[in-house]
Amino acid sequence: MSSAAKAILNQDPHALRDPKENNLEIAIGHEVRAFRKKLGITGADLASATGISLGMLSKIENGNTSPSLTTLQSLARALGVPVTAFFRRFEEVRNAVFVKAGEGLEIERRGTRAGHQYNLLGHIGNSSSGLQVEPYLITLTADSDVFPTFQHDGLELIYMLEGEVKYRHADKLYTMLPGDSLFFDADAPHGPEVLVNLPIRFLSIISYPDRTGV
């Protein structure tokens, strides 16, 4: 297992971030680093342009110190952004979407037909994660000889709730029963191929890069 994979598995999903007062320093540091990298300059370059020592700049970018307004003004001038840009992440509103049972937005996707129901369970635009995530509850109640094959950007997780289906991903078929899951690169052709036991219900969670700001 790679060191990157081990680091991900060692993360505590229930861990809390530092208290709010410390989060401000972290937010400022994140923005300073992001703007610096966007310009393609090194820490040494930015330190030289601002007169801030490289050690102090490192502390700022890592959220380990609270920079003075004068320091923030120097950084803002060197990076070509307003001082307020450094507070963007700290002031961002974090949204949540709550959907009561049976109240998901029913939508039509390519190939939708009678007996095939797609309920979008929520959507958050412009999230701080840089990702778009679409969670669907998919219900199949009518048999069909031909089911549409999907192919799109991002990653997808299928989690079976009811029934049995043979689900295709690329050149492989997976027999899926309640409790089974399939996580895959959605750029390969995929979709239910054989509806073995109806009704079939599964969660489909699709994630892909947020390009709305590009």
Side-chain angles (χ1 to χ4, degrees), residues 69-85:
L69 181 57
T70 300
T71 297
L72 290 177
Q73 288 174 329
S74 297
L75 289 167
R77 281 195 296 269
L79 295 169
V81 298
V83 172
T84 53

Side-chain angles (χ1 to χ4, degrees), residues 8 20 27 35 74 89 143 156 159 187 197 200 208 211:
I8 292 171
K20 188 73 172 179
F35 286 127
S74 297
R89 179 170 291 263
D143 204 349
E156 185 166 352
Y159 183 83
D187 190 47
N197 184 19
I200 294 167
Y208 52 92
R211 297 191 176 94

Side-chain angles (χ1 to χ4, degrees), residues 83-175:
V83 172
T84 53
F86 297 141
F87 301 93
R88 180 183 60 186
R89 179 170 291 263
F90 181 73
E91 295 175 342
E92 260 182 359
V93 176
R94 303 295 194 252
N95 295 315
V97 177
F98 176 64
V99 178
K100 292 286 287 182
E103 294 182 3
L105 176 64
E106 187 170 346
I107 67 169
E108 288 193 5
R109 290 183 65 185
R110 177 178 59 84
T112 301
R113 63 195 69 193
H116 297 174
Q117 184 177 21
Y118 294 78
N119 288 98
L120 182 62
L121 300 181
H123 181 266
I124 295 176
N126 300 318
S127 73
S128 61
S129 67
L131 293 174
Q132 289 283 349
V133 179
E134 297 176 1
Y136 294 94
L137 174 61
I138 300 176
T139 305
L140 310 179
T141 57
D143 204 349
S144 173
D145 292 333
V146 179
F147 197 92
T149 297
F150 300 105
Q151 191 170 5
H152 50 83
D153 289 342
L155 302 172
E156 185 166 352
L157 172 69
I158 300 294
Y159 183 83
M160 283 291 292
L161 298 171
E162 183 180 2
E164 181 179 350
V165 64
K166 291 184 185 295
Y167 198 94
R168 174 170 295 281
H169 179 258
D171 59 351
K172 293 183 179 180
L173 276 178
Y174 299 88
T175 298

Side-chain angles (χ1 to χ4, degrees), residues 8-59:
I8 292 171
L9 293 175
N10 286 333
Q11 292 185 93
D12 182 357
H14 304 293
L16 297 177
R17 291 190 177 183
D18 293 336
K20 188 73 172 179
E21 60 269 19
N22 293 332
N23 278 348
L24 176 58
E25 285 76 26
I26 294 171
I28 291 172
H30 180 279
E31 296 303 323
V32 170
R33 181 185 288 110
F35 286 127
R36 174 175 64 77
K37 289 187 174 181
K38 187 175 181 180
L39 290 176
I41 61 177
T42 66
D45 293 332
L46 183 56
S48 176
T50 58
I52 300 170
S53 71
L54 184 57
M56 175 58 70
L57 179 60
S58 177
K59 287 183 178 180

